[in-house]
């Protein structure tokens, strides 16, 4: 799986929305295989874990600190979203340790994806409009470019102990990203 590219330049909202659609497509393929009784492909599950982990990292490092700048409502939405991210990280860590072809692991992934779907709906209906209203197009473009750059080094596996602060998430994400990529290379990219 390749990371989504939305043209030469995307603003932050376009980039994150494209990730949401890619996550939905991966989950649909995984669910369809499971419902057919076909063996769910572990590589697709790992692609989903990778994308969700990277997406989590860039939102924690860049999106939510920006949202916090938009006043009390922005801070409340940021805090709420970070709580949701933590729950997803915890569930995703369990999936990452297991094998999605195992029924218990698949159920944990399904629970995780319910949380993700709820979070995506809130982000797209509440947070993104707030950002469009509160940030200039230039700021959203700059943020999108920073997110695209951060995706290249973001962690590829969930890290539930990641701090929610911008500085903490950036430092932890950089270290975790290097470690994750080294482990992925040693494992042949399958985990």
């Amino acid at each position: 799986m390749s990371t989504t590219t939305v043209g030469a330049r995307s603003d932050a909202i376009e980039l994150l929305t494209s990730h949401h659609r890619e996550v939905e497509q991966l989950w649909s393929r995984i669910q369809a295989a499971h419902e057919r009784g076909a063996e769910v492909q572990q590589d697709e599950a790992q692609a989903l874990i990778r994308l969700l982990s990277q997406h989590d990292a860039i939102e924690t490092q860049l999106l939510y600190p920006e949202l916090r700048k938009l006043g009390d409502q922005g801070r409340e939405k940021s805090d709420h979203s970070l709580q949701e991210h933590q729950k997803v990280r915890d569930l995703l860590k369990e999936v990452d340790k297991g094998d999605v072809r195992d029924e218990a692991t698949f159920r944990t992934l399904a629970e995780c994806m319910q949380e993700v779907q709820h979070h995506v709906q809130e982000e797209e209906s509440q947070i993104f409009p707030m950002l469009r209203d509160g940030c200039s197009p230039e700021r959203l473009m700059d943020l999108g470019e920073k997110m695209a750059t951060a995706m290249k080094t973001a962690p590829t596996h969930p890290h539930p102990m990641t701090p929610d602060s911008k500085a903490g998430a950036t430092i932890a994400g950089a270290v975790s990203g290097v470690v994750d990529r080294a482990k992925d290379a040693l494992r042949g990219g399958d985990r």
Side-chain angles (χ1 to χ4, degrees), residues 16-33:
L16 296 173
T17 300
S18 73
H19 290 172
H20 293 168
R21 300 297 83 81
E22 190 171 350
V23 164
E24 289 167 358
Q25 290 172 1
L26 281 165
W27 177 233
S28 290
R29 287 197 303 267
I30 291 167
Q31 275 186 303

Side-chain angles (χ1 to χ4, degrees), residues 153 155-157 159 172-187:
T153 58
T156 57
H157 297 275
H159 294 276
V175 172
S176 297
V178 170
V179 171
D180 287 353
R181 282 176 172 70
K183 286 180 181 177
D184 291 344
L186 290 171
R187 294 177 181 153

Side-chain angles (χ1 to χ4, degrees), residues 46-99:
Q46 286 301 315
L48 182 61
I49 290 167
R50 184 171 35 258
L51 181 57
L52 286 171
S53 297
Q54 292 172 314
H55 186 84
D56 168 54
I58 66 171
E59 285 192 344
T60 302
Q61 291 170 24
L62 297 163
L63 177 71
Y64 298 125
E66 190 67 29
L67 185 62
R68 294 185 76 71
K69 295 176 185 177
L70 301 180
D72 289 341
Q73 189 178 16
R75 284 187 291 281
E76 287 173 21
K77 296 282 184 203
S78 178
D79 291 344
H80 175 75
S81 293
L82 288 167
Q83 289 172 354
E84 291 179 341
H85 272 246
Q86 185 62 52
K87 187 167 186 177
V88 168
R89 275 186 221 128
D90 290 339
L91 290 166
L92 206 55
K93 183 73 175 177
E94 290 304 309
V95 174
D96 196 33
K97 290 190 304 189
D99 186 326

